[in-house]
Amino acid sequence: MEHMALINFIDISLGGAITLILVGFVGGLVSGFIGSGGAFVLTPAMMALGAPGMIAVATNSCHKFPKAIVGVFKRHKYGQVDVKLGLVMAVFAEAGVLFGKHMMTSVRNSYGAVGTDLYVSAIFIVTMAVVGSFMLKDYRKLKAMGDDAQKTQDITWIARWVQSIRIPGTMFYSRGVQAEISFLFVIPLGFATGFLSSAIAVGGLIGVPGMIYVLGVPAIMASATEMVIAVATGLGATFLYGLEGAVDIRMAMLILLGSLFGIQIGAIGTTYVKDYQIKFTMAVIMLTVLFSRIFYIPGYLNSVGMIEPLPAGTLQVLKWIGDGVMYLALFLGAYTVFSALFKGMKKHRESKSGSAGETAAD
Amino acid sequence: MASSQASLGKTLLWGGIAATLYGFLFYFSDDFLRLAHTTQDACLVQSGMNINYFNKATPELCAEQGGTLIHGTWWYVLAPIAMAFALSYTHGIFTGLFWDLLGLKARK
C-alpha cells in the first residue's frame, strides 16, 4: 500500500488507561499551578506512550478546549477577561491554526506519521528552549525583587511604544491595556499563538507573554484573556484535525479524567506560593521535557531515513532514556505542586494558630 | 449535617453521570474510532481478526488490496467534540464537588 496511509491509534490496555489517567492528573496539577493548559507536558507524554505527533496534538486540543470554556466563564466573573482583545486575537489565531494544520498534514502526507513526530518534536524543542530560558530569567529577576515584585509590574518599552502608535482605521480599545491599540500589532501575536497551538497544542506560551510584554496587558488579565484564544484555537484544531480523523477521543477523555482532578489541586497550590516559585517550576518542567524529546529525535530521523540506519538496541536505549526523563519531568511537576501545597498549608496553619494565640493573650 | 449530606448526594449524582458517560464512551469505543477513521474517505481492509483503515484511499488502490472503500462523512467530527463537551462539563462539576467535600480549599 504505497499510496494509502494506515491510520494509527494506540491500543489502550487497562495499564495504558491507568497511565493516561495518571499522566493527565500530573498534567492537570501542573496546569492548575502555572495557569496554562498543561499541554506542554501532555503532548510529549502522549507521544512517549506511542501516539504519533499529529494524533497527540489533535487529541490534546480536544481535551483542552472544553476546560478553557469553563476557565473563560470563571475568570470573566472576576472581571479578568479582556473579551474584545481575546476575540481580535482569536480571529488571527484561527488563521494560525489553519496554517499550522496545513503544515502538519503536508508533513504527514510526505513523511508519514513518524514525520509528524519529528516535526512536533523539533518545534517543541525550540519553543521550550526559548520560553523555558525566559522563564528562568524571569524567575531570577522576581526572586531578586522579593515582595516588591508582587506590587509593581512596569510595562515594557515595547508595550509603551505599541500603545503610543496610532494608525487610523486600525485602532480598538483594549480594557486590559487600558488604551487604544492597533490590531496590526495583534496579528503576529495571534497568528503565532494559533500556529503553535496547532503545531504542538501549546499556544499560550506565546500568547500570554506576548500580551504582557508586547501589548502591556497585566499578567493576570493576559492569562485569563488567553483562555478566549484557547477556546478558539482548541476548538478549531479539534475540528480541523477531526476532519482528518486524527482525534483519539478515548485518549483525550482519559487524560481529562485525571487532569480535572489535578487542576484544582494545582490551582489551590498557587495560593500558597510566590510568583517566582511558579516560574521556576514551569522552567524546570519545560527544560526537562525538552531534554527528554532530544532522545527521541535519532529514532524519528532513523524511521524517515534521514540518517544512516541505527542499531535497534541503540534506538531502544535512547527511547528508554527519553521515557525516563519524561517521567522524571512528570514526577518533578507533581512533587513541586504537592510540596508547595503542603508546606504552604502548614505555614498558613502555623501563622493562623499564632495569631489566634496572640488574640487570646490580649 | 444536612448540607454535607446534600453535597455528598450532589457529588455522587454528578460522579454517576460522568461515570455513565465514560462507560458509554468505552463501551462504544470501537464505534467512536470507526467514526474517526471514516470522517475522511477510508479503505477498510480485513486482516485476520483485525480491521485496518487506510486513508488517502482511491477506489483503485483500495480494490488492489481487496478492501472496501468507505466514503467519508465530515460531520462525524462532531462526535468527539460533543463527547468532549459533555464529559468535560459533568466531570468538571464532579471533581469540583469532590474536592469541596474533602475540604480542599484555596487560602483566603
Side-chain angles (χ1 to χ4, degrees):
Chain A
M1 294 227 168
E2 271 178 29
H3 301 291
M4 294 203 290
L6 186 63
I7 307 171
N8 281 322
F9 282 146
I10 58 170
D11 283 329
I12 302 180
S13 60
L14 182 64
I18 294 170
T19 310
L20 280 166
I21 295 169
L22 288 176
V23 164
F25 179 69
V26 179
L29 279 179
V30 173
S31 130
F33 194 67
I34 62 182
S36 82
F40 71 93
V41 186
L42 296 174
T43 302
M46 285 184 192
M47 290 172 73
L49 290 168
M54 181 168 163
I55 289 175
V57 170
T59 303
N60 233 324
S61 304
C62 177
H63 130 271
K64 77 173 186 179
F65 82 81
K67 276 183 7 191
I69 294 176
V70 178
V72 168
F73 282 111
K74 269 192 184 163
R75 297 188 65 174
H76 185 57
K77 266 199 287 192
Y78 298 122
Q80 294 171 349
V81 180
D82 181 347
V83 179
K84 202 190 283 175
L85 175 62
L87 290 176
V88 173
M89 258 183 97
V91 170
F92 299 110
E94 217 56 76
V97 169
L98 269 171
F99 176 69
K101 185 256 167 186
H102 173 73
M103 291 285 286
M104 181 80 86
T105 40
S106 305
V107 169
R108 185 203 55 185
N109 293 341
S110 308
Y111 299 100
V114 75
T116 67
D117 289 341
L118 190 58
Y119 171 75
V120 171
S121 299
I123 297 186
F124 194 88
I125 289 171
V126 174
T127 312
M128 292 300 129
V130 173
V131 182
S133 314
F134 269 109
M135 286 287 160
L136 268 186
K137 211 176 126 194
D138 248 20
Y139 153 71
R140 290 206 192 97
K141 205 170 111 190
L142 287 173
K143 197 179 177 192
M145 285 167 79
D147 288 340
D148 292 343
Q150 316 272 12
K151 291 177 207 154
T152 53
Q153 219 176 21
D154 288 336
I155 63 167
T156 59
W157 64 268
I158 307 176
R160 239 174 279 134
W161 178 76
V162 165
Q163 290 175 20
S164 72
I165 299 288
R166 309 203 64 79
I167 305 167
T170 68
M171 307 302 290
F172 72 100
Y173 182 79
S174 157
R175 203 165 65 82
V177 178
Q178 292 197 324
E180 280 199 330
I181 51 169
S182 167
F183 76 78
L184 298 177
F185 292 109
V186 178
I187 295 177
L189 284 181
F191 189 83
T193 306
F195 171 71
L196 273 191
S197 215
S198 60
I200 53 175
V202 183
L205 292 183
I206 293 290
V208 176
M211 279 187 267
I212 299 171
Y213 299 117
V214 180
L215 304 179
V217 180
I220 194 145
M221 282 193 95
S223 66
T225 305
E226 201 278 327
M227 286 185 175
V228 177
I229 305 155
V231 172
T233 56
L235 192 55
T238 305
F239 186 76
L240 291 172
Y241 282 127
L243 288 176
E244 299 282 333
V247 175
D248 186 343
I249 187 70
R250 306 162 308 159
M251 198 155 63
M253 293 303 101
L254 286 171
I255 291 273
L256 186 84
L257 177 59
S259 112
L260 286 178
F261 274 110
I263 198 162
Q264 309 205 29
I265 304 182
I268 292 168
T270 52
T271 61
Y272 291 98
V273 293
K274 291 202 159 62
D275 243 13
Y276 68 80
Q277 289 171 297
I278 299 172
K279 299 260 179 194
F280 182 70
T281 308
M282 198 163 175
V284 168
I285 300 171
M286 273 180 190
L287 297 174
T288 315
V289 176
L290 173 166
F291 190 57
S292 83
R293 272 290 100 203
I294 292 172
F295 293 99
Y296 297 94
I297 298 282
Y300 299 150
L301 289 172
N302 186 71
S303 299
V304 289
M306 284 182 175
I307 54 170
E308 288 290 311
L310 287 168
T314 310
L315 292 172
Q316 189 57 55
V317 170
L318 284 170
K319 179 163 177 357
W320 280 337
I321 300 173
D323 287 355
V325 179
M326 178 67 228
Y327 286 116
L328 175 71
L330 291 173
F331 174 77
L332 276 175
Y335 174 78
T336 320
V337 176
F338 277 120
S339 71
L341 184 67
F342 290 135
K343 270 189 212 156
M345 281 167 91
K346 200 174 154 210
K347 224 168 145 185
H348 184 56
R349 262 201 308 271
E350 280 168 5
S351 69
K352 258 180 104 176
S353 65
S355 62
E358 279 166 27
T359 320
D362 292 342
Chain B
M1 184 61 87
S3 80
S4 88
Q5 268 182 356
S7 54
L8 176 67
K10 255 172 92 178
T11 310
L12 289 175
L13 174 71
W14 283 103
I17 297 172
T20 308
L21 282 172
Y22 269 105
F24 176 80
L25 170 64
F26 281 92
Y27 187 76
F28 292 106
S29 66
D30 285 346
D31 296 285
F32 273 100
L33 294 191
R34 185 176 49 78
L35 292 182
H37 290 320
T38 55
T39 307
Q40 280 193 326
D41 289 352
C43 178
L44 182 156
V45 180
Q46 188 86 34
S47 148
M49 290 291 283
N50 294 327
I51 296 172
N52 287 327
Y53 291 91
F54 292 82
N55 61 17
K56 294 203 288 179
T58 60
E60 298 76 32
L61 285 169
C62 192
E64 244 174 58
Q65 298 300 321
T68 315
L69 187 74
I70 301 171
H71 287 290
T73 310
W74 73 267
W75 52 263
Y76 285 170
V77 70
L78 301 177
I81 294 178
M83 201 66 211
F85 265 120
L87 263 175
S88 186
Y89 184 74
T90 52
H91 185 47
I93 294 180
F94 165 64
T95 50
L97 290 166
F98 177 80
W99 289 126
D100 275 354
L101 203 64
L102 292 189
L104 194 72
K105 284 192 165 47
R107 194 171 72 166
K108 294 266 170 5

